[in-house]
PDB file of all heavy atoms in Angstrom:
ATOM      1  N   PHE A   1      57.026  46.955  -5.247  1.00  0.00           N
ATOM      2  CA  PHE A   1      57.424  46.126  -6.384  1.00  0.00           C
ATOM      3  C   PHE A   1      58.418  45.078  -5.904  1.00  0.00           C
ATOM      4  O   PHE A   1      58.797  45.050  -4.734  1.00  0.00           O
ATOM      5  CB  PHE A   1      58.038  46.984  -7.504  1.00  0.00           C
ATOM      6  CG  PHE A   1      59.275  47.755  -7.124  1.00  0.00           C
ATOM      7  CD1 PHE A   1      60.538  47.204  -7.326  1.00  0.00           C
ATOM      8  CD2 PHE A   1      59.191  49.025  -6.577  1.00  0.00           C
ATOM      9  CE1 PHE A   1      61.689  47.897  -6.983  1.00  0.00           C
ATOM     10  CE2 PHE A   1      60.340  49.743  -6.226  1.00  0.00           C
ATOM     11  CZ  PHE A   1      61.589  49.173  -6.440  1.00  0.00           C
ATOM     12  N   PHE A   2      58.805  44.176  -6.814  1.00  0.00           N
ATOM     13  CA  PHE A   2      59.776  43.153  -6.446  1.00  0.00           C
ATOM     14  C   PHE A   2      60.782  42.955  -7.561  1.00  0.00           C
ATOM     15  O   PHE A   2      60.525  43.306  -8.720  1.00  0.00           O
ATOM     16  CB  PHE A   2      59.083  41.828  -6.083  1.00  0.00           C
ATOM     17  CG  PHE A   2      58.250  41.217  -7.179  1.00  0.00           C
ATOM     18  CD1 PHE A   2      58.774  40.250  -8.028  1.00  0.00           C
ATOM     19  CD2 PHE A   2      56.921  41.586  -7.349  1.00  0.00           C
ATOM     20  CE1 PHE A   2      58.016  39.673  -9.024  1.00  0.00           C
ATOM     21  CE2 PHE A   2      56.143  41.010  -8.341  1.00  0.00           C
ATOM     22  CZ  PHE A   2      56.689  40.051  -9.187  1.00  0.00           C
ATOM     23  N   LEU A   3      61.942  42.427  -7.204  1.00  0.00           N
ATOM     24  CA  LEU A   3      63.011  42.154  -8.156  1.00  0.00           C
ATOM     25  C   LEU A   3      63.045  40.661  -8.440  1.00  0.00           C
ATOM     26  O   LEU A   3      63.148  39.844  -7.523  1.00  0.00           O
ATOM     27  CB  LEU A   3      64.368  42.612  -7.605  1.00  0.00           C
ATOM     28  CG  LEU A   3      64.483  44.097  -7.247  1.00  0.00           C
ATOM     29  CD1 LEU A   3      65.903  44.412  -6.770  1.00  0.00           C
ATOM     30  CD2 LEU A   3      64.104  44.994  -8.417  1.00  0.00           C
ATOM     31  N   LEU A   4      62.956  40.322  -9.726  1.00  0.00           N
ATOM     32  CA  LEU A   4      62.806  38.927 -10.128  1.00  0.00           C
ATOM     33  C   LEU A   4      63.920  38.491 -11.059  1.00  0.00           C
ATOM     34  O   LEU A   4      64.221  39.174 -12.039  1.00  0.00           O
ATOM     35  CB  LEU A   4      61.458  38.742 -10.838  1.00  0.00           C
ATOM     36  CG  LEU A   4      61.188  37.374 -11.475  1.00  0.00           C
ATOM     37  CD1 LEU A   4      61.054  36.306 -10.396  1.00  0.00           C
ATOM     38  CD2 LEU A   4      59.943  37.424 -12.345  1.00  0.00           C
ATOM     39  N   SER A   5      64.511  37.341 -10.749  1.00  0.00           N
ATOM     40  CA  SER A   5      65.424  36.681 -11.665  1.00  0.00           C
ATOM     41  C   SER A   5      64.603  35.675 -12.465  1.00  0.00           C
ATOM     42  O   SER A   5      64.223  34.614 -11.953  1.00  0.00           O
ATOM     43  CB  SER A   5      66.547  35.962 -10.898  1.00  0.00           C
ATOM     44  OG  SER A   5      67.337  35.195 -11.779  1.00  0.00           O
ATOM     45  N   GLU A   6      64.287  36.032 -13.716  1.00  0.00           N
ATOM     46  CA  GLU A   6      63.386  35.215 -14.524  1.00  0.00           C
ATOM     47  C   GLU A   6      64.004  33.875 -14.918  1.00  0.00           C
ATOM     48  O   GLU A   6      63.296  32.872 -15.079  1.00  0.00           O
ATOM     49  CB  GLU A   6      62.985  35.970 -15.789  1.00  0.00           C
ATOM     50  CG  GLU A   6      62.224  37.265 -15.529  1.00  0.00           C
ATOM     51  CD  GLU A   6      61.884  37.975 -16.821  1.00  0.00           C
ATOM     52  OE1 GLU A   6      61.430  37.296 -17.772  1.00  0.00           O
ATOM     53  OE2 GLU A   6      62.090  39.199 -16.905  1.00  0.00           O
ATOM     54  N   ASP A   7      65.318  33.831 -15.079  1.00  0.00           N
ATOM     55  CA  ASP A   7      65.970  32.638 -15.611  1.00  0.00           C
ATOM     56  C   ASP A   7      66.593  31.756 -14.540  1.00  0.00           C
ATOM     57  O   ASP A   7      67.254  30.770 -14.858  1.00  0.00           O
ATOM     58  CB  ASP A   7      67.046  33.051 -16.631  1.00  0.00           C
ATOM     59  CG  ASP A   7      66.456  33.793 -17.818  1.00  0.00           C
ATOM     60  OD1 ASP A   7      65.350  33.415 -18.249  1.00  0.00           O
ATOM     61  OD2 ASP A   7      67.084  34.757 -18.302  1.00  0.00           O
ATOM     62  N   TYR A   8      66.391  32.101 -13.279  1.00  0.00           N
ATOM     63  CA  TYR A   8      66.970  31.317 -12.193  1.00  0.00           C
ATOM     64  C   TYR A   8      66.363  29.911 -12.188  1.00  0.00           C
ATOM     65  O   TYR A   8      65.150  29.731 -12.019  1.00  0.00           O
ATOM     66  CB  TYR A   8      66.705  32.006 -10.858  1.00  0.00           C
ATOM     67  CG  TYR A   8      67.326  31.323  -9.659  1.00  0.00           C
ATOM     68  CD1 TYR A   8      68.594  31.677  -9.225  1.00  0.00           C
ATOM     69  CD2 TYR A   8      66.631  30.335  -8.962  1.00  0.00           C
ATOM     70  CE1 TYR A   8      69.163  31.062  -8.116  1.00  0.00           C
ATOM     71  CE2 TYR A   8      67.191  29.718  -7.851  1.00  0.00           C
ATOM     72  CZ  TYR A   8      68.461  30.081  -7.442  1.00  0.00           C
ATOM     73  OH  TYR A   8      69.020  29.476  -6.343  1.00  0.00           O
ATOM     74  N   ALA A   9      67.181  28.889 -12.405  1.00  0.00           N
ATOM     75  CA  ALA A   9      66.698  27.509 -12.475  1.00  0.00           C
ATOM     76  C   ALA A   9      66.499  26.949 -11.070  1.00  0.00           C
ATOM     77  O   ALA A   9      67.397  27.030 -10.221  1.00  0.00           O
ATOM     78  CB  ALA A   9      67.684  26.649 -13.251  1.00  0.00           C
ATOM     79  N   LEU A  10      65.337  26.390 -10.826  1.00  0.00           N
ATOM     80  CA  LEU A  10      65.013  25.862  -9.510  1.00  0.00           C
ATOM     81  C   LEU A  10      65.339  24.377  -9.425  1.00  0.00           C
ATOM     82  O   LEU A  10      65.039  23.612 -10.343  1.00  0.00           O
ATOM     83  CB  LEU A  10      63.526  26.060  -9.208  1.00  0.00           C
ATOM     84  CG  LEU A  10      63.053  27.510  -9.113  1.00  0.00           C
ATOM     85  CD1 LEU A  10      61.555  27.539  -8.917  1.00  0.00           C
ATOM     86  CD2 LEU A  10      63.744  28.237  -7.974  1.00  0.00           C
ATOM     87  N   GLN A  11      65.937  23.992  -8.326  1.00  0.00           N
ATOM     88  CA  GLN A  11      66.181  22.587  -8.043  1.00  0.00           C
ATOM     89  C   GLN A  11      64.997  22.079  -7.232  1.00  0.00           C
ATOM     90  O   GLN A  11      64.868  22.379  -6.045  1.00  0.00           O
ATOM     91  CB  GLN A  11      67.493  22.414  -7.272  1.00  0.00           C
ATOM     92  CG  GLN A  11      68.723  22.890  -8.021  1.00  0.00           C
ATOM     93  CD  GLN A  11      68.968  22.084  -9.283  1.00  0.00           C
ATOM     94  OE1 GLN A  11      68.828  20.860  -9.294  1.00  0.00           O
ATOM     95  NE2 GLN A  11      69.338  22.769 -10.364  1.00  0.00           N
ATOM     96  N   GLN A  12      64.106  21.338  -7.874  1.00  0.00           N
ATOM     97  CA  GLN A  12      62.897  20.898  -7.211  1.00  0.00           C
ATOM     98  C   GLN A  12      63.201  19.801  -6.204  1.00  0.00           C
ATOM     99  O   GLN A  12      63.914  18.847  -6.494  1.00  0.00           O
ATOM    100  CB  GLN A  12      61.882  20.399  -8.237  1.00  0.00           C
ATOM    101  CG  GLN A  12      60.515  20.122  -7.654  1.00  0.00           C
ATOM    102  CD  GLN A  12      59.564  19.580  -8.700  1.00  0.00           C
ATOM    103  OE1 GLN A  12      59.944  19.380  -9.854  1.00  0.00           O
ATOM    104  NE2 GLN A  12      58.335  19.315  -8.309  1.00  0.00           N
ATOM    105  N   ARG A  13      62.647  19.978  -5.020  1.00  0.00           N
ATOM    106  CA  ARG A  13      62.821  18.984  -3.961  1.00  0.00           C
ATOM    107  C   ARG A  13      61.496  18.262  -3.759  1.00  0.00           C
ATOM    108  O   ARG A  13      60.488  18.875  -3.409  1.00  0.00           O
ATOM    109  CB  ARG A  13      63.250  19.670  -2.661  1.00  0.00           C
ATOM    110  CG  ARG A  13      63.519  18.701  -1.511  1.00  0.00           C
ATOM    111  CD  ARG A  13      64.003  19.463  -0.295  1.00  0.00           C
ATOM    112  NE  ARG A  13      63.019  20.421   0.154  1.00  0.00           N
ATOM    113  CZ  ARG A  13      63.310  21.595   0.686  1.00  0.00           C
ATOM    114  NH1 ARG A  13      64.559  21.982   0.773  1.00  0.00           N
ATOM    115  NH2 ARG A  13      62.351  22.413   1.091  1.00  0.00           N
ATOM    116  N   ILE A  14      61.481  16.973  -4.004  1.00  0.00           N
ATOM    117  CA  ILE A  14      60.259  16.184  -3.894  1.00  0.00           C
ATOM    118  C   ILE A  14      60.144  15.616  -2.483  1.00  0.00           C
ATOM    119  O   ILE A  14      61.079  15.013  -1.964  1.00  0.00           O
ATOM    120  CB  ILE A  14      60.249  15.034  -4.921  1.00  0.00           C
ATOM    121  CG1 ILE A  14      60.489  15.593  -6.327  1.00  0.00           C
ATOM    122  CG2 ILE A  14      58.953  14.262  -4.853  1.00  0.00           C
ATOM    123  CD1 ILE A  14      59.445  16.578  -6.776  1.00  0.00           C
ATOM    124  N   GLU A  15      58.981  15.818  -1.879  1.00  0.00           N
ATOM    125  CA  GLU A  15      58.736  15.297  -0.536  1.00  0.00           C
ATOM    126  C   GLU A  15      57.906  14.019  -0.639  1.00  0.00           C
ATOM    127  O   GLU A  15      57.091  13.857  -1.543  1.00  0.00           O
ATOM    128  CB  GLU A  15      57.982  16.328   0.311  1.00  0.00           C
ATOM    129  CG  GLU A  15      58.713  17.663   0.444  1.00  0.00           C
ATOM    130  CD  GLU A  15      59.934  17.575   1.322  1.00  0.00           C
ATOM    131  OE1 GLU A  15      60.104  16.527   1.990  1.00  0.00           O
ATOM    132  OE2 GLU A  15      60.712  18.525   1.337  1.00  0.00           O
ATOM    133  N   GLU A  16      58.086  13.126   0.320  1.00  0.00           N
ATOM    134  CA  GLU A  16      57.326  11.886   0.311  1.00  0.00           C
ATOM    135  C   GLU A  16      55.908  12.081   0.823  1.00  0.00           C
ATOM    136  O   GLU A  16      55.022  11.298   0.547  1.00  0.00           O
ATOM    137  CB  GLU A  16      58.040  10.833   1.160  1.00  0.00           C
ATOM    138  CG  GLU A  16      59.389  10.403   0.576  1.00  0.00           C
ATOM    139  CD  GLU A  16      60.049   9.322   1.406  1.00  0.00           C
ATOM    140  OE1 GLU A  16      59.480   8.976   2.464  1.00  0.00           O
ATOM    141  OE2 GLU A  16      61.102   8.827   1.006  1.00  0.00           O
ATOM    142  N   SER A  17      55.698  13.118   1.571  1.00  0.00           N
ATOM    143  CA  SER A  17      54.357  13.372   2.099  1.00  0.00           C
ATOM    144  C   SER A  17      54.116  14.868   2.141  1.00  0.00           C
ATOM    145  O   SER A  17      55.046  15.667   2.087  1.00  0.00           O
ATOM    146  CB  SER A  17      54.206  12.787   3.513  1.00  0.00           C
ATOM    147  OG  SER A  17      55.129  13.413   4.394  1.00  0.00           O
ATOM    148  N   THR A  18      52.853  15.233   2.225  1.00  0.00           N
ATOM    149  CA  THR A  18      52.491  16.642   2.295  1.00  0.00           C
ATOM    150  C   THR A  18      52.675  17.136   3.721  1.00  0.00           C
ATOM    151  O   THR A  18      52.108  16.590   4.659  1.00  0.00           O
ATOM    152  CB  THR A  18      51.038  16.841   1.858  1.00  0.00           C
ATOM    153  OG1 THR A  18      50.898  16.325   0.535  1.00  0.00           O
ATOM    154  CG2 THR A  18      50.645  18.300   1.876  1.00  0.00           C
ATOM    155  N   LEU A  19      53.450  18.195   3.883  1.00  0.00           N
ATOM    156  CA  LEU A  19      53.708  18.757   5.201  1.00  0.00           C
ATOM    157  C   LEU A  19      52.823  19.967   5.436  1.00  0.00           C
ATOM    158  O   LEU A  19      52.125  20.434   4.540  1.00  0.00           O
ATOM    159  CB  LEU A  19      55.180  19.157   5.311  1.00  0.00           C
ATOM    160  CG  LEU A  19      56.188  18.033   5.054  1.00  0.00           C
ATOM    161  CD1 LEU A  19      57.600  18.580   5.131  1.00  0.00           C
ATOM    162  CD2 LEU A  19      56.012  16.902   6.050  1.00  0.00           C
ATOM    163  N   SER A  20      52.851  20.494   6.639  1.00  0.00           N
ATOM    164  CA  SER A  20      52.040  21.652   6.975  1.00  0.00           C
ATOM    165  C   SER A  20      52.340  22.809   6.045  1.00  0.00           C
ATOM    166  O   SER A  20      53.491  23.215   5.879  1.00  0.00           O
ATOM    167  CB  SER A  20      52.320  22.077   8.425  1.00  0.00           C
ATOM    168  OG  SER A  20      51.635  23.251   8.745  1.00  0.00           O
ATOM    169  N   GLY A  21      51.284  23.357   5.438  1.00  0.00           N
ATOM    170  CA  GLY A  21      51.451  24.502   4.556  1.00  0.00           C
ATOM    171  C   GLY A  21      52.100  24.167   3.236  1.00  0.00           C
ATOM    172  O   GLY A  21      52.478  25.069   2.497  1.00  0.00           O
ATOM    173  N   ARG A  22      52.250  22.880   2.903  1.00  0.00           N
ATOM    174  CA  ARG A  22      52.925  22.509   1.661  1.00  0.00           C
ATOM    175  C   ARG A  22      52.060  21.567   0.828  1.00  0.00           C
ATOM    176  O   ARG A  22      52.567  20.716   0.113  1.00  0.00           O
ATOM    177  CB  ARG A  22      54.287  21.895   1.963  1.00  0.00           C
ATOM    178  CG  ARG A  22      55.210  22.835   2.743  1.00  0.00           C
ATOM    179  CD  ARG A  22      56.622  22.322   2.783  1.00  0.00           C
ATOM    180  NE  ARG A  22      57.198  22.291   1.453  1.00  0.00           N
ATOM    181  CZ  ARG A  22      58.387  21.726   1.176  1.00  0.00           C
ATOM    182  NH1 ARG A  22      59.073  21.159   2.150  1.00  0.00           N
ATOM    183  NH2 ARG A  22      58.867  21.728  -0.042  1.00  0.00           N
ATOM    184  N   ASN A  23      50.767  21.720   0.944  1.00  0.00           N
ATOM    185  CA  ASN A  23      49.838  20.879   0.191  1.00  0.00           C
ATOM    186  C   ASN A  23      49.735  21.397  -1.242  1.00  0.00           C
ATOM    187  O   ASN A  23      48.801  22.082  -1.624  1.00  0.00           O
ATOM    188  CB  ASN A  23      48.461  20.849   0.863  1.00  0.00           C
ATOM    189  CG  ASN A  23      47.956  22.233   1.265  1.00  0.00           C
ATOM    190  OD1 ASN A  23      48.606  22.925   2.046  1.00  0.00           O
ATOM    191  ND2 ASN A  23      46.806  22.627   0.751  1.00  0.00           N
ATOM    192  N   HIS A  24      50.749  21.064  -2.015  1.00  0.00           N
ATOM    193  CA  HIS A  24      50.825  21.498  -3.407  1.00  0.00           C
ATOM    194  C   HIS A  24      51.419  20.368  -4.238  1.00  0.00           C
ATOM    195  O   HIS A  24      52.352  19.680  -3.792  1.00  0.00           O
ATOM    196  CB  HIS A  24      51.684  22.756  -3.535  1.00  0.00           C
ATOM    197  CG  HIS A  24      51.596  23.401  -4.883  1.00  0.00           C
ATOM    198  ND1 HIS A  24      52.267  22.921  -5.993  1.00  0.00           N
ATOM    199  CD2 HIS A  24      50.910  24.491  -5.311  1.00  0.00           C
ATOM    200  CE1 HIS A  24      51.996  23.682  -7.037  1.00  0.00           C
ATOM    201  NE2 HIS A  24      51.174  24.635  -6.661  1.00  0.00           N
ATOM    202  N   PRO A  25      50.911  20.161  -5.464  1.00  0.00           N
ATOM    203  CA  PRO A  25      51.421  19.055  -6.291  1.00  0.00           C
ATOM    204  C   PRO A  25      52.920  19.070  -6.512  1.00  0.00           C
ATOM    205  O   PRO A  25      53.548  18.012  -6.595  1.00  0.00           O
ATOM    206  CB  PRO A  25      50.664  19.254  -7.615  1.00  0.00           C
ATOM    207  CG  PRO A  25      49.393  19.927  -7.226  1.00  0.00           C
ATOM    208  CD  PRO A  25      49.766  20.843  -6.088  1.00  0.00           C
ATOM    209  N   LEU A  26      53.532  20.258  -6.606  1.00  0.00           N
ATOM    210  CA  LEU A  26      54.960  20.324  -6.891  1.00  0.00           C
ATOM    211  C   LEU A  26      55.826  19.931  -5.707  1.00  0.00           C
ATOM    212  O   LEU A  26      57.042  19.796  -5.844  1.00  0.00           O
ATOM    213  CB  LEU A  26      55.341  21.729  -7.371  1.00  0.00           C
ATOM    214  CG  LEU A  26      54.937  22.030  -8.817  1.00  0.00           C
ATOM    215  CD1 LEU A  26      55.125  23.503  -9.136  1.00  0.00           C
ATOM    216  CD2 LEU A  26      55.742  21.170  -9.794  1.00  0.00           C
ATOM    217  N   ASN A  27      55.215  19.702  -4.558  1.00  0.00           N
ATOM    218  CA  ASN A  27      55.973  19.201  -3.418  1.00  0.00           C
ATOM    219  C   ASN A  27      56.063  17.676  -3.412  1.00  0.00           C
ATOM    220  O   ASN A  27      56.849  17.104  -2.661  1.00  0.00           O
ATOM    221  CB  ASN A  27      55.351  19.687  -2.104  1.00  0.00           C
ATOM    222  CG  ASN A  27      55.643  21.143  -1.851  1.00  0.00           C
ATOM    223  OD1 ASN A  27      56.735  21.615  -2.112  1.00  0.00           O
ATOM    224  ND2 ASN A  27      54.651  21.872  -1.360  1.00  0.00           N
ATOM    225  N   ILE A  28      55.246  17.030  -4.258  1.00  0.00           N
ATOM    226  CA  ILE A  28      55.270  15.566  -4.266  1.00  0.00           C
ATOM    227  C   ILE A  28      55.353  14.980  -5.668  1.00  0.00           C
ATOM    228  O   ILE A  28      55.495  13.766  -5.815  1.00  0.00           O
ATOM    229  CB  ILE A  28      54.039  14.989  -3.538  1.00  0.00           C
ATOM    230  CG1 ILE A  28      52.741  15.532  -4.127  1.00  0.00           C
ATOM    231  CG2 ILE A  28      54.105  15.306  -2.056  1.00  0.00           C
ATOM    232  CD1 ILE A  28      51.499  14.935  -3.484  1.00  0.00           C
ATOM    233  N   HIS A  29      55.279  15.823  -6.704  1.00  0.00           N
ATOM    234  CA  HIS A  29      55.381  15.348  -8.080  1.00  0.00           C
ATOM    235  C   HIS A  29      56.415  16.186  -8.834  1.00  0.00           C
ATOM    236  O   HIS A  29      56.515  17.404  -8.610  1.00  0.00           O
ATOM    237  CB  HIS A  29      54.036  15.474  -8.811  1.00  0.00           C
ATOM    238  CG  HIS A  29      52.936  14.646  -8.227  1.00  0.00           C
ATOM    239  ND1 HIS A  29      52.895  13.275  -8.349  1.00  0.00           N
ATOM    240  CD2 HIS A  29      51.835  14.994  -7.519  1.00  0.00           C
ATOM    241  CE1 HIS A  29      51.810  12.810  -7.743  1.00  0.00           C
ATOM    242  NE2 HIS A  29      51.158  13.842  -7.224  1.00  0.00           N
ATOM    243  N   GLY A  30      57.148  15.551  -9.724  1.00  0.00           N
ATOM    244  CA  GLY A  30      58.071  16.282 -10.569  1.00  0.00           C
ATOM    245  C   GLY A  30      57.317  17.161 -11.563  1.00  0.00           C
ATOM    246  O   GLY A  30      56.220  16.817 -12.001  1.00  0.00           O
ATOM    247  N   ALA A  31      57.920  18.288 -11.931  1.00  0.00           N
ATOM    248  CA  ALA A  31      57.275  19.212 -12.853  1.00  0.00           C
ATOM    249  C   ALA A  31      56.922  18.538 -14.172  1.00  0.00           C
ATOM    250  O   ALA A  31      55.816  18.716 -14.704  1.00  0.00           O
ATOM    251  CB  ALA A  31      58.172  20.417 -13.087  1.00  0.00           C
ATOM    252  N   ALA A  32      57.841  17.754 -14.712  1.00  0.00           N
ATOM    253  CA  ALA A  32      57.594  17.097 -15.999  1.00  0.00           C
ATOM    254  C   ALA A  32      56.429  16.119 -15.904  1.00  0.00           C
ATOM    255  O   ALA A  32      55.643  15.970 -16.852  1.00  0.00           O
ATOM    256  CB  ALA A  32      58.854  16.377 -16.469  1.00  0.00           C
ATOM    257  N   ASP A  33      56.285  15.459 -14.750  1.00  0.00           N
ATOM    258  CA  ASP A  33      55.184  14.515 -14.567  1.00  0.00           C
ATOM    259  C   ASP A  33      53.830  15.216 -14.573  1.00  0.00           C
ATOM    260  O   ASP A  33      52.801  14.585 -14.842  1.00  0.00           O
ATOM    261  CB  ASP A  33      55.357  13.753 -13.251  1.00  0.00           C
ATOM    262  CG  ASP A  33      56.605  12.883 -13.240  1.00  0.00           C
ATOM    263  OD1 ASP A  33      57.022  12.446 -14.337  1.00  0.00           O
ATOM    264  OD2 ASP A  33      57.164  12.655 -12.154  1.00  0.00           O
ATOM    265  N   LEU A  34      53.839  16.505 -14.253  1.00  0.00           N
ATOM    266  CA  LEU A  34      52.599  17.281 -14.230  1.00  0.00           C
ATOM    267  C   LEU A  34      52.364  18.022 -15.541  1.00  0.00           C
ATOM    268  O   LEU A  34      51.419  18.813 -15.650  1.00  0.00           O
ATOM    269  CB  LEU A  34      52.645  18.302 -13.078  1.00  0.00           C
ATOM    270  CG  LEU A  34      52.731  17.716 -11.671  1.00  0.00           C
ATOM    271  CD1 LEU A  34      52.883  18.825 -10.636  1.00  0.00           C
ATOM    272  CD2 LEU A  34      51.505  16.863 -11.368  1.00  0.00           C
ATOM    273  N   GLY A  35      53.223  17.768 -16.527  1.00  0.00           N
ATOM    274  CA  GLY A  35      53.077  18.438 -17.811  1.00  0.00           C
ATOM    275  C   GLY A  35      53.596  19.854 -17.815  1.00  0.00           C
ATOM    276  O   GLY A  35      53.226  20.659 -18.693  1.00  0.00           O
ATOM    277  N   LEU A  36      54.470  20.184 -16.861  1.00  0.00           N
ATOM    278  CA  LEU A  36      55.015  21.530 -16.755  1.00  0.00           C
ATOM    279  C   LEU A  36      56.400  21.613 -17.358  1.00  0.00           C
ATOM    280  O   LEU A  36      57.132  20.613 -17.424  1.00  0.00           O
ATOM    281  CB  LEU A  36      55.075  21.963 -15.282  1.00  0.00           C
ATOM    282  CG  LEU A  36      53.741  21.972 -14.520  1.00  0.00           C
ATOM    283  CD1 LEU A  36      53.996  22.274 -13.048  1.00  0.00           C
ATOM    284  CD2 LEU A  36      52.787  22.989 -15.119  1.00  0.00           C
TER     285      LEU A  36
END
């Protein structure tokens, strides 16, 4: 099992380009821009 902090606020870090193993929209787009 795992221990989770449900309310821990994440500071999103936006990258200018997709790096190795980081090909995900949240690495280059803000959450609000994605409707999240």
